[in-house]
Amino acid sequence: MSSRSKLRIAFNLYMAADARSAGVQQSIRVCAALAQAGASVTLHLCTGTFSSKQDVLDFFGFEAIPTLDIRFYANPFSAENAYPFAAPTGALGVALWGLLFHIWRVVKLVFSAEKHNYDILWLRGERFPLFYLLFKRFFPFRCIYEFHEIGYLNHVPERELLTTQPRFDFARWIYHNADGIIVISETLRQLLTAKWGRVSPLTVIPSGATLFESSPLPLGKPLHDIYFVGNYYYFSGLDVAIQALALVPEVTLHIVGGGGTGDPDYERIRALVTTLHLDERVIFHGFVPPYRLPALFARADLLVMPHTGAIRAKYFVSPLKLFQYMSANRPIIASDLLTVREIVSDGEDALLIPPENPVALAAAVQQLMQDGALARKIAANAYSKSRSYSMEQRATQMLAFFDPAHDDAADFAFLAGKLLSGRVYPEFFQFRPNAHVLNVGCGLGPQAISYNGQYAAMVGVDINADRLALSQQAIAARGIDNYTTLQANVEHIPLPDATFDHAIAIDIAEHVEDPRQLCREINRLLKPGGELLITFPAMHDFYTGLAHTIGRIVFNKTPKREPPVWDPDWHNQRMPLDDWIQLVEQCGFRLQRSRASTLFPPLHLYGVPRFWFSNEAIHTVDSKLCHWPALKYRGQTLVCVFTAHAA
């Protein structure tokens, strides 16, 4: 972390705190890793297995973490809490109770936000986050949502993944309304993008595990003890592992995790073991606290993760158990799925087998039993790679996404403002999907983000190398991969003639030494008939001057003095709007249309949030008025679209 104040993160875990749940364990571990990395984290946890912070620390074997605050709230759907509503009204009463409970939670958080001064609200789950996002305009912090799955797709045929959509698609609404999206795999990112389009900011951050030091597999030791760690869910493939065990008589299968007597999945697995006469070769260890897993892994000779080809396993996992396995320094056999191939490679750090194929699993076990060198190679490679999937590494990636440049907070606060105001440009000037775009004077790259990568390629040109580096960082954090930068004076850009279909020059014409040369250079780089969006300062300079005058008179602030020589960060050119338009037309362009950016003054100069861009109703009215001929010259800036022809 930088010298600036700690990032303050709140996380609401929308599920009962069941210690056996991988989701609960992973969420708590990430919160702890974020706190240990220097953030101030408040974890709001539903009561369940845990009822105090000490319970959590003891269960995970954590030392005291001063910057991790854990707060508990009652499970709203427990029999004790929901019964008074369910008894007289049934399911309708429970639903009403759930609605009232979530609204109460939102209101409580909103009122406590100022006290705790959160920067980030990190969310998971498809119901609880919906209530926060509905009211997020009242929040003083950003809402970041982490996608692990699309619940309603778990049981649909694969060919219908892109077409299936419920009447009320809450997941899609969350995807488009959160302030940032984290997904746990590239496979899931591609599915979300194909189904709902690209959003920004979005990043891929795989799940992680708490790693531990492990000794390598002893030379010459026969592979006898196979371990499976996890729950008994249908997609875990434990049934396949048991069927494979029947084909390899020399080994024993150890099952760690899952429920016990009375759990339907446990009873199903028990019945299968008995049916195949494997009771003496299958050992059920039951649920094991995380701090005891390293000792169990040390006894293992081989680890298996035979996920089925179910939609949930194929698209919606970043397998925690695989990261744990890799840290154990033991050979791994796993199902050959897209999400698994993002992490390991067949024959290098795992053996990958077709899913739901006990014969293939048995053959892979026998191969490693016969080839000790291969087993040790796979184990060593996986152990080495596991360091990239630690909880600490995940926390570092999340902090970078939450706060893309700790040491450049002012620059990124400026970028956040530009992103709000920049929404008017895609609304007024759209690109063709196959367009090549020139971004003149790109600065921190807000236009690339505002257009959300909806172009074939964009080249951002700016004279300031530091801003270009920051723009690459911010844009990469948002998952935009078709944007490149070029450091150059925008009046002399070293690129071939007729390269681009569109050009944008936002807040740049007034900064250059020779605006006429700027326009000629853009004309040269555009294809015949290419379009240019360019802005000119209208009332902005007046409002800025007024702010400086108020600051000088009321607050005794000394305004910045105009530099004696050309400074690219200064407004070096001032002329009437009609003169600006005439200048551009003299350089080979024809005006097509124009509008004001906004009729609101730059109230952010006085500390007022840009509500005229963030409030949809106000923005809609403002945009309509910005097109009126009598008002368009009275906005902050005049936005013009020109078509290029021969100069």
Side-chain angles (χ1 to χ4, degrees):
M1 297 291 289
S2 69
S3 58
R4 85 184 191 94
S5 59
K6 292 178 180 177
L7 199 65
R8 293 167 292 273
I9 302 168
F11 176 62
N12 285 268
L13 184 61
Y14 177 70
M15 56 182 76
D18 182 353
R20 294 173 297 180
S21 165
V24 169
Q25 289 190 29
Q26 193 250 12
S27 298
I28 294 174
R29 286 187 180 279
V30 174
C31 286
L34 288 168
Q36 290 167 334
S40 176
V41 181
T42 302
L43 168 61
H44 296 266
L45 198 60
C46 184
T47 53
T49 308
F50 311 117
S51 58
S52 71
K53 180 177 180 178
Q54 194 59 48
D55 287 346
V56 176
L57 297 177
D58 292 343
F59 179 81
F60 288 96
F62 292 152
E63 299 293 334
I65 307 173
T67 53
L68 175 63
D69 182 19
I70 303 178
R71 304 181 178 201
F72 291 88
Y73 62 91
N75 181 357
F77 298 107
S78 67
E80 177 184 357
N81 291 326
Y83 180 76
F85 291 85
T89 57
L92 179 61
V94 173
L96 178 61
W97 163 236
L99 176 64
L100 294 173
F101 175 83
H102 292 314
I103 292 176
W104 172 78
R105 290 283 300 158
V106 170
V107 171
K108 184 177 179 182
L109 184 60
V110 169
F111 277 100
S112 66
E114 184 173 351
K115 175 182 176 182
H116 300 295
N117 203 18
Y118 298 137
D119 299 301
I120 299 291
L121 178 62
W122 167 39
L123 305 167
R124 276 185 63 177
E126 290 181 14
R127 288 176 288 176
F128 200 19
L130 177 66
F131 289 88
Y132 285 97
L133 294 175
L134 281 171
F135 298 100
K136 74 171 186 170
R137 69 183 59 182
F138 302 111
F139 291 176
F141 43 76
R142 291 187 297 136
C143 295
I144 306 295
Y145 184 79
E146 183 172 323
F147 266 98
H148 287 237
E149 65 177 350
I150 307 173
Y152 63 79
L153 293 183
N154 276 324
H155 303 290
V156 304
E158 188 168 2
R159 65 181 179 276
E160 298 177 10
L161 286 178
L162 298 182
T163 57
T164 299
Q165 183 171 325
R167 182 185 297 270
F168 300 106
D169 195 345
F170 296 137
R172 183 178 186 275
W173 191 89
I174 291 170
Y175 180 74
H176 284 284
N177 285 276
D179 295 313
I181 297 293
I182 296 174
V183 295
I184 58 172
S185 69
E186 177 62 22
T187 301
L188 179 55
R189 185 196 70 79
Q190 293 178 8
L191 174 62
L192 294 177
T193 302
K195 187 173 180 63
W196 295 329
R198 178 178 259 166
V199 297
S200 175
L202 180 149
T203 191
V204 177
I205 303 179
S207 296
T210 299
L211 306 183
F212 47 89
E213 299 299 323
S214 303
S215 301
L217 197 65
L219 287 171
K221 184 179 186 301
L223 304 187
H224 178 268
D225 292 296
I226 301 175
Y227 273 68
F228 169 96
V229 178
N231 285 306
Y232 306 158
Y233 302 137
Y234 71 96
F235 64 86
S236 70
L238 182 54
D239 307 67
V240 175
I242 293 169
Q243 293 166 12
L245 182 69
L247 304 176
V248 189
E250 303 93 341
V251 298
T252 298
L253 177 64
H254 297 256
I255 302 175
V256 181
T261 304
D263 176 14
D265 290 319
Y266 171 81
E267 300 296 348
R268 185 191 81 250
I269 294 298
R270 267 291 186 188
L272 179 60
V273 169
T274 301
T275 300
L276 296 178
H277 307 291
L278 297 173
D279 296 270
E280 295 183 359
R281 294 176 52 213
V282 176
I283 300 174
F284 290 85
H285 293 266
F287 176 75
V288 174
Y291 68 87
R292 288 182 50 202
L293 284 178
L296 280 177
F297 282 133
R299 303 175 198 164
D301 301 319
L302 177 63
L303 302 168
V304 294
M305 192 186 77
H307 280 345
T308 70
I311 294 298
R312 184 170 182 181
K314 196 169 183 178
Y315 290 94
F316 301 146
V317 296
S318 178
L320 294 171
K321 74 175 66 174
L322 182 56
F323 302 133
Q324 292 176 324
Y325 284 4
M326 293 164 68
S327 181
N329 214 340
R330 294 294 185 268
I332 300 167
I333 301 174
S335 293
D336 191 359
L337 301 172
L338 291 174
T339 49
V340 174
R341 279 191 175 271
E342 289 184 32
I343 303 163
V344 294
S345 302
D346 186 30
E348 291 298 319
D349 27 43
L351 287 188
L352 301 184
I353 60 169
E356 302 176 56
N357 190 328
V359 175
L361 177 55
V365 171
Q366 291 171 329
Q367 180 183 359
L368 292 177
M369 291 173 64
Q370 296 165 8
D371 191 342
L374 176 62
R376 288 190 295 275
K377 167 194 160 184
I378 285 175
N381 289 344
Y383 181 72
S384 177
K385 185 182 284 189
S386 70
R387 307 300 107 174
S388 299
Y389 296 100
S390 67
M391 278 296 175
E392 293 74 17
Q393 180 66 20
R394 187 170 210 267
T396 299
Q397 292 177 276
M398 291 178 69
L399 286 176
F401 184 67
F402 290 162
D403 189 19
H406 298 308
D407 295 323
D408 300 283
D411 285 321
F412 279 91
F414 175 80
L415 174 59
K418 285 289 187 181
L419 291 178
L420 272 178
S421 60
R423 65 178 298 182
V424 303
Y425 305 123
E427 295 170 356
F428 186 59
F429 183 62
Q430 296 183 346
F431 301 146
R432 295 189 296 275
N434 61 346
H436 287 73
V437 182
L438 175 66
N439 187 350
V440 183
C442 61
L444 293 173
Q447 297 81 27
I449 299 171
S450 295
Y451 278 96
N452 202 23
Q454 300 300 316
Y455 39 77
M458 178 182 285
V459 178
V461 182
D462 201 278
I463 199 170
N464 189 310
D466 292 336
R467 285 181 185 161
L468 290 177
L470 289 174
S471 74
Q472 291 281 25
Q473 188 177 0
I475 289 164
R478 288 160 170 82
I480 298 173
D481 56 8
N482 53 353
Y483 177 78
T484 57
T485 59
L486 171 66
Q487 184 186 3
N489 186 323
V490 295
E491 297 172 44
H492 304 282
I493 301 173
L495 292 172
D497 295 357
T499 299
F500 298 97
D501 303 290
H502 304 290
I504 52 177
I506 297 171
D507 299 335
I508 185 63
E510 63 272 23
H511 289 270
V512 300
E513 284 188 282
D514 186 350
R516 194 176 302 275
Q517 173 58 30
L518 169 71
C519 295
R520 290 189 184 122
E521 186 71 349
I522 296 173
N523 184 277
R524 178 184 70 81
L525 293 169
L526 280 173
K527 299 174 183 177
E531 292 182 312
L532 164 66
L533 180 142
I534 189 169
T535 65
F536 309 115
M539 299 294 291
H540 183 275
D541 286 350
F542 168 78
Y543 291 132
T544 303
L546 178 62
H548 289 163
T549 300
I550 294 173
R552 185 179 69 253
I553 296 174
V554 178
F555 302 106
N556 198 28
K557 290 185 177 180
T558 302
K560 293 182 180 179
R561 294 185 180 276
E562 187 169 346
V565 296
W566 175 72
D567 183 340
D569 290 332
W570 196 265
H571 281 205
N572 299 285
Q573 309 294 336
R574 292 178 177 85
M575 63 180 77
L577 291 172
D578 287 335
D579 289 358
W580 276 115
I581 293 171
Q582 184 179 8
L583 182 150
V584 177
E585 290 184 325
Q586 289 172 354
C587 296
F589 289 94
R590 182 179 296 110
L591 179 65
Q592 296 297 318
R593 59 190 184 277
S594 62
R595 60 160 286 180
S597 58
T598 176
L599 296 177
F600 279 87
L603 298 176
H604 62 279
L605 297 175
Y606 307 94
V608 179
R610 292 173 167 88
F611 64 85
W612 53 97
F613 291 119
S614 59
N615 184 285
E616 292 300 324
I618 294 175
H619 174 66
T620 299
V621 174
D622 182 41
S623 292
K624 290 184 180 298
L625 295 177
C626 282
H627 287 81
W628 287 17
L631 296 177
K632 65 173 64 175
Y633 280 24
R634 298 298 174 186
Q636 285 192 38
T637 60
L638 181 66
V639 185
C640 298
V641 175
F642 293 86
T643 301
H645 59 83

